[in-house]
Amino acid sequence: MSSDQQISMNKIKISLDAMGGDHGVESVIPGAALALKKKPDIEFLLFGNEISIYRELEKFPDLKKKSIIHHTPHAISATDKPSDALRKGKNSSMRLAIDSVANGQASSVVSGGNTGALMAMAKIVLKVLPGIQRPAIASVIPSEKGRSVMLDLGANISCDSENLAQFAILGSVFARAVMKIERPTVGLLNVGSEQMKGNDVLRAADALLRSVSIPGDYQGFIEGDDITRGTVDVIVTDGFTGNIALKTAEGVGHFFKSIISEEFKRSFFSKIGYLINKCVFTRIKNRMDPREYNGGLFLGLKGICVKSHGGADAYAFSRAILVAANMVEQGFNDTVVREIEGFAEAEASLGISADGVV
Amino acid sequence: MSSDQQISMNKIKISLDAMGGDHGVESVIPGAALALKKKPDIEFLLFGNEISIYRELEKFPDLKKKSIIHHTPHAISATDKPSDALRKGKNSSMRLAIDSVANGQASSVVSGGNTGALMAMAKIVLKVLPGIQRPAIASVIPSEKGRSVMLDLGANISCDSENLAQFAILGSVFARAVMKIERPTVGLLNVGSEQMKGNDVLRAADALLRSVSIPGDYQGFIEGDDITRGTVDVIVTDGFTGNIALKTAEGVGHFFKSIISEEFKRSFFSKIGYLINKCVFTRIKNRMDPREYNGGLFLGLKGICVKSHGGADAYAFSRAILVAANMVEQGFNDTVVREIEGFAEAEASLGISADGVV
């Protein structure tokens, strides 16, 4: 095998929905350029209005060489309902970018567009991986000990114990492959750590995860404050609870920032005080920077699909691209299929049915 | 009626579990002294070890004059199971303090002890108010706009739509009576604000609150980040979601504080920087002071019961006492009974059954 062929085999092809997000091509294209600097073996398929894409691409000659533009006549708007997007969005940049993963042109897709539409399209076009019951939305979140991955964040309003156990596997494989945690710890979000706490679904999921091994160390129930404490590497919950916990955390973050900024703007002296400590505040801001953790990961689909935050700037968008590239490179989906298969076999050998009952 | 009788009628009798919480009498007695300074018309019944109470009471002559000590041989520990506390704790300071409310010696009880035990005992001894299906735990929380009251925070793991509607009434009456908000706004915590979001229970509760009037302005669904944004005055949710949201928020608060303190301790210069801005940080700390908002309120029982945080200091404990005093003074329970009755009548006239189905 020649060195050229070697390079070509290692290429990671990522499709980008260039029209998605609040800033469209203005964050997508510079974001791709930033990602390319970090990981020169990426090639991009750019879906969207070719004039807009081309105009922006002109500014990044290195990226231009690694990109193919696919003109698309339509774009999904932030207010489109998922059902409408599915029906009417067949020629949209989002849909065609997802299609390119389904037909093997690319290995992953990144979009900053309408979450509901993206999830609905990805689920229908890419389909779930063998053995997976329900795909889940995961996100990497900062914690006192570093970072953790949390799922589901809203794909499934209600879940059974088997769904939760599968999320534990998806999260563990992600923590191992992408976050490089050899033996990730896993916790199930509940209202107390004792085994009798919570509802029937949680207790059944707890029993299931205690009896069948997963690619992480299951530690039992954790509570809301364990999320940012970093008690475990993988936080498992249903999409209802996960969505509310994540948004509550975002709200508290916003509250803290607004109080700090208000108090430091209150007087001439406090403004001076802020300037004196500016480098400390910059360090604090960097540690909490949500851009570092940009990317809602749709796990459990045949193809990698990453949702960038709608308001993402170029840097944040580049982080979402790099997560997608990492997942492809580490063979995330192959590992998931293997682990889900092993789990199902172990369940069967223990005489546990799919709903977790022995 | 003589002026003396007038004063005596206005007296608020509060029973304190002097042995509850991490600091026992050392926070309860000074806390009572502080509360008395703010509200001189309170009289206290102090339940616990009389020697410990007496020793501490000696330091506060004004409080001593307004207090009656009830010696109790036992105390409930933080690790006692609610079921054990119910069975074996009949002579405990917590139980006898609650009994004193049930038999009319006092109008309210404040304890910093074991939450599960307090809830179980209060429910069994005090019993629920007429028309109330389930009591709830509420708490006042700080927000960007001031403060809100949120319930349920853990008394009921699962709730039906009627339970949630009753919580909306309990919370609205509290916001009006204690927080002095004439027409409180009310929101139902969900994963999106559109009416089709969430699960069947939430959609039924939403429909119910839209069709029958409550003592607040029902605004529909709110999301996790609306909690600290102060979008509504009363946040209604089930005990599972409420507990996880509250603990998540506490965790994020802890995370922020630890990052700020770490970064300002990092170097000699940042330490100096902190000293320069000390008064700004003190103002920030005061605005977020959890002691101001101390008190888990057990709403819906025949008698006011306030749970102080286990780690509360004297100031925090005094805040919990003042909330209890306020609820008594404002006739909280009488208003609740009236409102619940009115709601049930309105439901009946609309042909809505107790499970919210028309």
Side-chain angles (χ1 to χ4, degrees), chain A residues 223 247 254 263 277 283, chain B residues 144 223 247 263 277 283:
Chain A
E223 297 188 60
K247 287 203 175 143
H254 186 271
E263 290 299 338
N277 287 315
R283 279 208 308 269
Chain B
E144 289 181 35
E223 297 189 61
K247 287 202 174 144
E263 290 299 340
N277 287 316
R283 278 207 308 268

Side-chain angles (χ1 to χ4, degrees), chain B residues 24 29 57 59 67 150-152 164 166 173 259 268 296 298 302 319 340 350:
Chain B
I29 306 301
L57 208 52
K59 302 175 194 164
S67 300
M150 182 165 165
L151 73 171
D152 175 25
L164 293 172
Q166 289 204 340
V173 173
I259 281 191
F268 175 73
F298 291 170
K302 286 183 196 160
R319 302 297 302 176
I340 289 285
L350 285 170

Side-chain angles (χ1 to χ4, degrees), chain A residues 144 190 202 223 225 228 240 245 247-248 251-252 254-256 259 262-263 266 273 277 283 287-288, chain B residues 143-144 190 202 223 225 228 240 245 247-248 251-252 254-256 259 262-263 266 273 277 283 287-288:
Chain A
E144 289 181 34
N190 199 349
L202 282 168
E223 297 188 60
D225 52 343
T228 44
F240 183 87
K247 287 203 175 143
T248 300
V252 176
H254 186 271
F255 184 27
F256 259 85
I259 280 191
E262 241 177 62
E263 290 299 338
R266 195 183 274 269
N277 287 315
R283 279 208 308 269
R287 281 184 66 179
M288 306 294 286
Chain B
S143 83
E144 289 181 35
N190 198 350
L202 281 168
E223 297 189 61
D225 53 342
T228 45
F240 183 87
K247 287 202 174 144
T248 300
V252 176
H254 186 271
F255 184 27
F256 259 83
I259 281 191
E262 241 176 61
E263 290 299 340
R266 195 183 273 268
N277 287 316
R283 278 207 308 268
R287 280 184 66 178
M288 307 293 285

